[in-house]
Amino acid sequence: MAEAEEAKVEGANEEERAAAAEEEEVEVKFRLFDGSDIGPIRCNAANTTVAALKDRVVADWPKDKSIIPKTANDVKLISGGKILENDKNIAQCRAPFGDLPSTVITMHVVVQPSSTKSKPDKKANKLPKTTRCSCTIL
């Protein structure tokens, strides 16, 4: 009997935690390559995707920086030592041991501009191959 009641209580606690995670508002700030920050911004942990955060970073990017991302695809977000995937939400990306509910989540921003310039054709730069063989007998 006691075990059944205990299982009901545990199930209710898990449902309460899931409901709290859906409603959880978090503050996120973005650390740029030079040590400056964007934010913090408040967002819903369950409903805000990494792609939406990248769009926000590009929109709020300081104009005085030497490196400026053109699109959200030029931006990589890192949290807890992991590169975040676009289709995940913040609640799925949070490190379970490092983030307390009242603290600001810091995500590091890396800008990798997409190479739109055409790369020189490797075949045009190659010299004709010459076959060489050498043997050494000791």
Side-chain angles (χ1 to χ4, degrees), residues 14-33:
E14 288 177 14
E15 290 173 6
E16 289 173 8
R17 283 187 216 128
E22 288 180 13
E23 298 173 2
E24 183 181 12
E25 290 284 321
V26 294
E27 286 189 1
V28 181
K29 74 176 177 179
F30 305 99
R31 178 73 35 96
L32 305 181
F33 60 92

Side-chain angles (χ1 to χ4, degrees), residues 78-123:
I78 301 171
S79 180
K82 295 182 180 178
I83 297 175
L84 306 182
E85 298 175 21
N86 287 344
D87 58 342
K88 303 265 182 173
N89 62 33
I90 298 172
Q92 294 170 323
C93 297
R94 291 179 69 180
F97 57 87
D99 294 324
L100 300 174
S102 62
T103 62
V104 176
I105 300 170
T106 302
M107 295 186 182
H108 296 267
V109 180
V110 176
V111 179
Q112 293 181 332
S114 56
S115 57
T116 56
K117 299 176 184 175
S118 62
K119 294 182 180 178
D121 190 13
K122 289 184 179 181
K123 292 180 182 177

